[in-house]
Amino acid sequence: MTPTTFTQDQIASLGARAETMVNSLGTVSAEPDRLVRLFLTPEHRRAADRVAGWMRAAGLTVSEDALGTVRGRLDGPGKKRLLIGSHIDTVINAGMYDGPFGVIAGILAAEHFHAKRLTFGIDVLAFGDEEGSRFPATLSSSSACAGIFRTENLQLADRNGVTLADALHAYGKSPDDIAAAAYARDEAAAYVEVHIEQGPVLEARKQPLGVVTAIIGQTYLNVEFLGEAGHAGTVPMLLRRDALAGAAEAMLLGETLARETKGEVVATVGRIAVAPGATNVIPANVVAIFDIRSGSESARAKLVDTVKAGIRGIADRRHLGLTITSPREVATTPCDAQVQDRFADAVLALGAEPLRLGSGAGHDGQAMAKLCPIGMLFVRCRGGISHNPMEYANPQDLGLAVAALIGFIERFEPEKLG
Ligand code: GLV
Ligand code: MN
Ligand code: MN
């Protein structure tokens, strides 16, 4: 297919439409003063319905699978389909671009091909669980599409004790249908995603777009300390078994060990639960989730082992019970070389430099890579800020990203993928 030559006006118009849609989804929140849109909530339902409406208006046939992924389908003459997606769930107190822009870019690009003849079909996918902000596992929706959903995750509970299985039922879904959400391997030609960079590299290099080489690997450690509740005024310090003091020591150990890797590994505890959670009661039970990431599999594995050993030592010394499980373990995921090159061609054709860079954030492509080759296009965001309401990408860059995705689709040849 002859690639489209975009005028500045067309790019500006795509960018303006994308920005309007991003702002529209940004109002769909559980709270009036900040953006919170968690998996399988009424807000997720409202966002999914809005996205489905946009897909229909773009000429796509809409369905929804057992994990709530909204799918907009454009049929081609053959069985092969290019999957384009991102997520519509958010972190707590989120920005508006992380996830939604990728779905919107897919819809605007698919619309471009509605009246044209491609040799393959397109599915635009709006996943509902990339952030893992509700249940202590992530990528549930893309894992179902990739056929790697872990059924044991159905028993994971949110902060209110609602299990994923119960939440799915309340959303009108049945876990029995999860297997049917998986794509057939000979159907999925590739999965691609457009996403804001969430880091500072493109801005520093003064480039609007970047081609992703690989997505960083990640381990979650769910660490539970068991101590003993007691009166905060009467139990002497040396006789206490304080689960929170143990967890605090473990968190500092994780930070120290990650710092010692000099940038090779990062470790974060962003969520802890303390019980009973009263000011005058010695904490009896603490769960802390360690998020450990690295571009190097061996460096991550080494740090995970060292952190676990250190935590065991802390628990022994403090006479605390301890369980460590890993609800999430995702390998560093390379992006397909051919997909990277076609994205680079499309970026170059728009007069930008196709800078190559890795992703420090996790993405649905990590699950989809178990199904088919994957690739990603990054868009510059202001100050590299993400997971923060200040998140922003300018409409000109958004328009370029949609144009680059269209250019990629025009250059994409499923039969040439290794
Ligand atoms: C998702 O944004 C993640 O990297 O955790
Ligand atoms: Mn994201
Ligand atoms: Mn995110």
Side-chain angles (χ1 to χ4, degrees):
M1 177 177 280
T2 315
T4 307
T5 306
F6 288 93
T7 64
Q8 286 307 317
D9 281 355
Q10 285 170 320
I11 289 171
S13 157
L14 285 170
R17 288 182 66 198
E19 185 180 55
T20 302
M21 292 160 88
V22 165
N23 289 337
S24 163
L25 269 192
T27 63
V28 183
S29 173
E31 300 180 22
D33 298 328
R34 57 179 196 165
L35 179 53
V36 184
R37 197 166 58 236
L38 305 187
F39 186 36
L40 303 175
T41 56
E43 302 69 55
H44 180 194
R45 177 75 272 150
R46 282 193 285 139
D49 289 345
R50 195 162 298 182
V51 164
W54 291 335
M55 287 176 170
R56 279 188 204 98
L60 308 180
T61 307
V62 179
S63 62
E64 201 179 273
D65 70 21
L67 266 290
T69 299
V70 188
R71 302 174 177 214
R73 186 178 174 100
L74 188 67
D75 280 326
K79 189 174 185 195
K80 289 275 184 205
R81 319 192 60 71
L82 172 65
L83 313 180
I84 305 171
S86 197
H87 57 99
I88 55 172
D89 66 324
T90 72
V91 293
I92 292 164
N93 198 18
M96 293 189 289
Y97 294 78
D98 172 3
F101 175 58
V103 175
I104 289 161
I107 295 170
L108 294 176
E111 181 189 78
H112 179 89
F113 293 100
H114 183 232
K116 301 190 168 59
R117 268 190 77 76
L118 284 168
T119 58
F120 48 88
I122 291 179
D123 279 11
V124 181
L125 304 173
F127 300 120
D129 177 37
E130 190 265 4
E131 299 289 7
S133 296
R134 179 167 180 192
F135 300 97
T138 61
L139 308 182
S140 306
S141 328
S142 42
S143 294
C145 286
I148 56 161
F149 180 83
R150 288 160 61 163
T151 41
E152 63 268 30
N153 284 358
L154 287 167
Q155 298 321 315
L156 294 174
D158 70 6
R159 287 174 176 79
N160 299 317
V162 178
T163 64
L164 174 52
D166 289 342
L168 280 173
H169 281 299
Y171 201 72
K173 305 291 175 186
S174 165
D176 294 343
D177 298 332
I178 292 175
Y183 279 92
R185 278 176 188 273
D186 59 352
E187 185 185 18
Y191 169 80
V192 295
E193 177 165 351
V194 179
H195 204 284
I196 56 162
E197 182 202 338
Q198 308 182 274
V201 176
L202 292 173
E203 191 175 67
R205 298 283 295 270
K206 300 193 172 20
Q207 291 302 321
L209 304 174
V211 177
V212 179
T213 52
I215 310 171
I216 204 169
Q218 181 181 13
T219 301
Y220 266 17
L221 295 179
N222 204 78
V223 180
E224 180 165 13
F225 291 94
L226 271 172
E228 190 169 43
H231 197 293
T234 62
V235 183
M237 294 309 287
L238 288 179
L239 296 183
R240 296 179 178 209
R241 291 169 55 229
D242 182 331
L244 183 55
E249 206 181 314
M251 285 188 261
L252 289 178
L253 176 76
E255 184 188 47
T256 304
L257 292 172
R259 279 188 177 167
E260 284 169 3
T261 68
K262 306 231 179 313
E264 204 173 21
V265 188
V266 290
T268 309
V269 176
R271 180 171 164 187
I272 61 170
V274 181
T279 49
N280 59 354
V281 183
I282 297 164
N285 180 301
V286 171
V287 178
I289 301 179
F290 286 67
D291 175 327
I292 300 173
R293 307 190 194 201
S294 175
S296 153
E297 293 295 278
S298 57
R300 187 176 95 249
K302 190 167 158 216
L303 193 89
V304 166
D305 285 349
T306 325
V307 166
K308 278 167 130 175
I311 292 175
R312 281 192 203 102
I314 291 165
D316 280 352
R317 185 163 35 77
R318 291 176 167 273
H319 306 293
L320 297 170
L322 178 72
T323 51
I324 304 180
T325 55
S326 181
R328 180 171 192 203
E329 179 75 46
V330 189
T332 297
T333 307
C335 293
D336 181 82
Q338 303 252 19
V339 172
Q340 287 187 49
D341 288 348
R342 295 299 79 77
F343 266 129
D345 294 342
V347 171
L348 210 52
L350 289 164
E353 187 190 321
L355 204 84
R356 310 251 177 167
L357 73 173
S359 172
H363 295 288
D364 289 296
Q366 288 169 291
M368 298 304 277
K370 304 285 185 213
L371 173 75
C372 58
I374 67 143
M376 290 191 76
L377 181 75
F378 271 176
V379 189
R380 166 169 63 189
C381 60
R382 188 173 60 196
I385 295 170
S386 185
H387 285 186
N388 182 316
M390 296 292 289
E391 199 172 82
Y392 177 76
N394 76 54
Q396 170 71 13
D397 291 356
L398 301 183
L400 279 171
V402 177
L405 178 59
I406 292 170
F408 167 83
I409 296 168
E410 289 167 335
R411 291 167 175 83
F412 180 64
E413 296 172 293
E415 62 286 353
K416 294 222 173 128
L417 287 180

